[in-house]
Amino acid sequence: MKTCDICHEPIGMFNKFRYTDGYICKKCYKKASRNYTETIAAKTLDELKELCSQKGEVEEDFEVTGRIGNYLLVDERNQKICILNNRMTAGQVSDPEFYDVGEIEECRLVCQPVMKLEELEEKVKRRAEGNMNTLKVSVRLKNGKKKEIVLISKPVRIKSYAFRQSFHFANRIADEIHRLMDECAKME
């Protein structure tokens, strides 16, 4: 029987994950893929061992019940969210960040140039001329920290497909976080 190249536990036919030199088990894959947010197919055994040894265990009590693109994972059962830190928009690779929904004080869409959400929605609907420099979802925590989920970091035309898709994702993210916040408030 095959064993995991990292932890040497037995692996079955359907619980093995391929990388450049061989196979690893699901438990090691979870760590090496940063909680299933990155692929490992092009990584070497040394790279995977390094990823598995970093920062200990990834949130063990996080059960993915929902996902919004490559931006947000949701755990409704444990009332948590995971911000995936998409390297395409953040510009760097970083670990996913986990937050209890009860820690969140405010969530809102932020754009540059600044305009009211209703005005921006109307411009998107009409496919109006103009550019948007940034679009992000800002999450403020009760401890004063702020986390931003960046969807657009460079100027794009408002009428472009890229902007409309990003705006759609931003609205879905904000709506989901607000829904979770409302559920959390009802449970208190």
Side-chain angles (χ1 to χ4, degrees):
M1 178 172 243
K2 288 193 178 243
T3 60
C4 174
D5 293 344
I6 295 174
C7 70
H8 306 293
E9 292 290 320
I11 52 177
M13 186 174 197
F14 300 110
N15 279 336
K16 61 184 180 183
F17 296 86
R18 180 115 174 97
Y19 68 98
T20 58
D21 304 325
Y23 295 94
I24 62 173
C25 68
K26 186 173 184 174
K27 184 179 82 176
C28 292
Y29 177 72
K30 181 178 181 179
K31 293 177 192 175
S33 67
R34 298 177 188 257
N35 208 27
Y36 311 113
T37 59
E38 292 181 15
T39 182
I40 64 163
K43 293 188 179 355
T44 65
L45 181 59
D46 290 337
E47 290 172 318
L48 294 178
K49 284 182 177 178
E50 173 67 27
L51 287 168
C52 285
S53 68
Q54 288 177 358
K55 206 177 172 185
E57 290 291 314
V58 177
E59 289 279 318
E60 284 299 321
D61 62 343
F62 192 88
E63 181 182 316
V64 178
T65 59
R67 177 184 195 109
I68 300 177
N70 289 329
Y71 303 103
L72 185 74
L73 296 177
V74 175
D75 178 355
E76 289 190 55
R77 194 172 60 100
N78 295 308
Q79 289 290 298
K80 292 186 176 194
I81 63 169
C82 172
I83 298 174
L84 295 174
N85 295 319
N86 185 334
R87 80 172 149 242
M88 296 298 287
T89 54
Q92 65 184 20
V93 176
S94 56
D95 288 330
E97 296 178 34
F98 297 87
Y99 300 101
D100 287 322
V101 173
E103 292 179 66
I104 302 171
E105 185 172 313
E106 177 188 44
C107 175
R108 63 188 180 94
L109 260 63
V110 178
C111 60
Q112 188 68 347
V114 177
M115 66 177 69
K116 291 182 181 175
L117 184 58
E118 298 80 19
E119 182 183 347
L120 183 56
E121 285 175 345
E122 185 59 33
K123 284 187 174 199
V124 170
K125 193 182 280 184
R126 288 186 294 117
R127 296 188 180 175
E129 291 294 325
N131 288 336
M132 190 58 56
N133 297 329
T134 60
L135 177 65
K136 44 189 145 180
V137 178
S138 178
V139 178
R140 192 173 75 224
L141 304 174
K142 290 179 179 173
N143 65 8
K145 289 185 179 178
K146 199 160 107 174
K147 179 66 188 163
E148 293 181 334
I149 303 171
V150 179
L151 290 100
I152 292 182
S153 59
K154 297 178 180 162
V156 314
R157 292 186 331 243
I158 292 174
K159 68 179 182 178
S160 72
Y161 178 76
F163 182 78
R164 289 193 320 269
Q165 281 299 102
S166 296
F167 186 67
H168 172 72
F169 274 120
N171 276 316
R172 282 183 55 203
I173 291 166
D175 289 347
E176 182 66 9
I177 291 173
H178 284 129
R179 184 184 70 77
L180 290 168
M181 288 170 65
D182 289 345
E183 280 182 17
C184 187
K186 287 177 188 174
M187 292 179 3
E188 290 178 353

